[in-house]
Amino acid sequence: MATPDLDPLLLLRQSIASNSAILPTASTDAAAPEASLSTATHLTFTTPTRISIPIDTPTRFASNDTPVDLRSIYFAWLKREVAIPEYNASATQLNDDLTTGKVQNLAFVERLDLITWLEGASEESEYIKPLAGDKHGAASNAAAALASKGAAAPAIGTTLGRSGKGALDPRLAVIYNSERKMGNWNSALRGIKPTDFSHVRKLAAPFMSKKPSGNAVSHISSNPSLALNQKQKRPDPIILLSPSASALLRMTNIKSFLESGKYVPVDSLTASSSSSASMLHINRLMKDIDPNRPMRFILVEGPEQFKPEYWSRVVAVFTTGQSWQFKNYKWSNPNELFRHVLGVYVGWRHEQPPEAVQAWGHRVMAVGVERWKDMGPNAVDSSRWRDREAVEQIWKAIEGNMRSKGWKKDQAPASI
């Protein structure tokens, strides 16, 4: 049974936070020399104490409800800065060199979530299960928080107290986890069953239709607290496109690509089908955020008309790898920008992304589409079915990033 100071994920995160050595070894001896990942049988951590853990140990990180082994977790961390094609190629090469075991390829969203958690940028992960006996993840979250600050993990069999000071007996921790949560007056009055007050709107309609007198208007305007609180509308998320002429996706063809899953080059569009609009709207159902109504996305090529609060609504930035695109952005440095916003690079399939895109690391998603073949008016290119596959991959990454930033069915995050 894993405890906070023996849990492989927490040990790995703590070692990363303290810049301590993590050594693959081919022996159970903690003092064994470093070996290659293809021949290693153990992973040796040097902080807080030198300890070796079998490299095929299952971790609490689950992919499709299947625990991912420590070798795959460590390999994903080593390849955190490479693009998806290079990560997949490296995993294939390592699997060919392994005599026993196999490196598990993590999906883009899973790998992004894992690396974000290991770096200490997030204290929670939907793919990481709590420690055994820690129903609400209090012990693991506390140990992870200490790890991200470079502090030692709690001792075996202990967890932090509710005030965050000192140690707490594990038996008391079980008792605290079983406590009944007390609500405030608001939750007590509302209860556990939502009440539908839509009928009140019909009763209030006759009164709302009557125009108030001038004095009443001025009285309400001078006292905002007296104005009726209307239901706040969820703002539309924003996607920024690259204004570069070399971009495969522009305002003229992005709508058909993201909505219909079909790529058509800009120069192949007819004058009637092309668009010179400076802003487009696309509707997409994001099932994990709001399964009942589609979300409307706003697509623009630049932030020239942005208000400061608009940046919290930006959910993706399409780029060609040219840094001049970000000159007027809130974060003009690409490395800083992609810490806040998901980057998307769309290029030709089987071609490496530009060096700049690769240098920006895992926060920029690289997607390839098949090269365009002009088959004539009545011919059909059979390879274009891959376009929809690329589009779904992009939307899945955008949805996962939106959920991690705090998008909900009735509100948007205040900041990103």
Side-chain angles (χ1 to χ4, degrees), residues 71-363:
R71 180 193 284 114
S72 301
I73 296 293
Y74 181 62
F75 176 77
W77 168 253
L78 292 178
K79 301 297 180 181
R80 62 190 180 279
E81 298 294 341
V82 304
I84 294 177
E86 185 177 346
Y87 167 73
N88 294 334
S90 300
T92 302
Q93 180 63 45
L94 180 57
N95 285 331
D96 293 339
D97 296 338
L98 288 173
T99 55
T100 59
K102 182 180 180 182
V103 170
Q104 181 175 346
N105 269 22
L106 300 180
F108 173 79
V109 177
E110 295 173 341
R111 188 159 64 108
L112 178 63
D113 187 90
L114 171 66
I115 294 171
T116 303
W117 186 87
L118 289 175
E119 288 177 336
S122 173
E123 299 303 330
E124 295 181 354
S125 171
E126 61 177 303
Y127 301 101
I128 298 179
K129 298 180 180 179
L131 288 169
D134 185 18
K135 181 179 179 182
H136 300 286
S140 58
N141 287 340
L146 289 175
S148 64
K149 297 176 182 177
I156 299 177
T158 65
T159 182
L160 293 180
R162 289 182 294 178
S163 63
K165 301 178 180 179
L168 185 67
D169 188 279
R171 291 169 294 181
L172 289 178
V174 174
I175 295 175
Y176 285 146
N177 287 337
S178 301
E179 284 184 339
R180 180 180 178 183
K181 308 301 180 183
M182 302 299 293
N184 54 24
W185 65 271
N186 193 31
S187 61
L189 288 177
R190 290 182 181 274
I192 60 175
K193 186 177 181 180
T195 305
D196 183 13
F197 289 101
S198 59
H199 64 282
V200 179
R201 182 176 300 176
K202 296 180 180 180
L203 298 176
F207 301 96
M208 297 295 294
S209 61
K210 295 180 180 179
K211 295 183 179 180
S213 62
N215 292 336
V217 172
S218 60
H219 181 64
I220 292 178
S221 61
S222 61
N223 295 275
S225 59
L226 298 179
L228 294 176
N229 292 324
Q230 297 183 352
K231 184 178 180 181
Q232 186 176 7
K233 180 183 177 181
R234 178 186 63 199
D236 297 330
I238 299 173
I239 296 177
L240 284 169
L241 303 181
S242 171
S244 173
S246 62
L248 297 187
L249 295 174
R250 301 293 302 275
M251 294 293 286
T252 51
N253 63 349
I254 185 68
K255 188 176 180 69
S256 62
F257 182 72
L258 292 181
E259 278 191 340
S260 307
K262 183 179 180 180
Y263 173 75
V264 179
V266 176
D267 54 9
S268 297
L269 295 171
T270 61
S272 59
S273 61
S274 61
S275 172
S276 59
S278 60
M279 181 176 67
L280 294 175
H281 295 105
I282 289 180
N283 293 323
R284 172 79 180 189
L285 183 64
M286 314 298 272
K287 295 182 180 179
D288 291 341
I289 299 177
D290 189 350
N292 298 320
R293 56 172 177 159
M295 299 185 71
R296 190 177 74 160
F297 290 80
I298 299 176
L299 277 68
V300 293
E301 281 190 345
E304 288 76 12
Q305 306 298 326
F306 268 30
K307 296 180 181 179
E309 60 269 21
Y310 286 3
W311 282 103
S312 62
R313 295 161 51 187
V314 177
V315 296
V317 173
F318 281 73
T319 180
T320 59
Q322 298 166 302
S323 57
W324 59 261
Q325 173 187 348
F326 317 122
K327 180 179 178 181
N328 298 323
Y329 281 28
K330 179 179 180 180
W331 302 283
S332 57
N333 186 301
N335 292 318
E336 180 67 18
L337 169 67
F338 295 124
R339 288 192 183 99
H340 299 274
V341 184
L342 172 70
V344 180
Y345 168 79
V346 178
W348 296 124
R349 188 176 175 83
H350 302 306
E351 285 189 5
Q352 288 289 338
E355 292 183 1
V357 174
Q358 299 184 46
W360 295 335
H362 64 274
R363 295 183 178 89

Side-chain angles (χ1 to χ4, degrees), residues 384-399:
R384 296 260 62 94
W385 64 270
R386 295 183 182 273
D387 294 346
R388 180 167 293 277
E389 184 181 59
V391 170
E392 292 302 321
Q393 188 178 359
I394 293 173
W395 279 120
K396 184 177 181 181
I398 292 176
E399 184 172 11

